Amino acid sequence: MNSDSASYLLSELMNVAFLVCSPVLFVALGVGVLISILQVVTQIQEMTLTFVPKMLAVAGTIMLLSNWMLNLLKEFTEFTFYYAAGL
């Protein structure tokens, strides 16, 4: 394996990692911003108010998108093995 092959596989790995992680991170970000706005408007400064909705939203996102995430990871794994076999 030369450096071009390694950098290509690393680039593909980073793309897949971004695709798998980004929905969960964006949902957590969105819920966090909404809860922060709610806290500012109502002047409630409870720490668990930010944690519990984020946890539920992230768990729901993972449950909804887990099939897509696993298929993406499976396809990347198959691609990696086929690519490595051709070297």
Side-chain angles (χ1 to χ4, degrees):
M1 178 183 291
N2 56 16
S3 63
D4 291 337
S5 299
S7 64
Y8 177 70
L9 283 176
L10 185 61
S11 171
E12 290 298 315
L13 173 68
M14 293 306 223
N15 288 336
V16 169
F18 176 74
L19 286 174
V20 169
C21 295
S22 62
V24 176
L25 293 176
F26 286 137
V27 166
L29 176 71
V31 170
V33 167
L34 290 176
I35 296 298
S36 296
I37 291 171
L38 178 71
Q39 282 183 327
V40 166
V41 170
T42 61
Q43 294 182 354
I44 298 172
Q45 298 301 321
E46 180 65 32
M47 294 304 293
T48 58
L49 185 62
T50 61
F51 179 71
V52 173
K54 270 196 240 180
M55 184 177 65
L56 293 175
V58 166
T61 303
I62 290 173
M63 286 173 35
L64 287 174
L65 297 178
S66 62
N67 189 29
W68 172 75
M69 291 176 181
L70 287 174
N71 281 334
L72 190 65
L73 291 171
K74 179 186 74 83
E75 289 173 4
F76 177 71
T77 303
E78 289 174 352
F79 165 75
T80 304
F81 282 125
Y82 288 135
Y83 189 80
L87 292 178

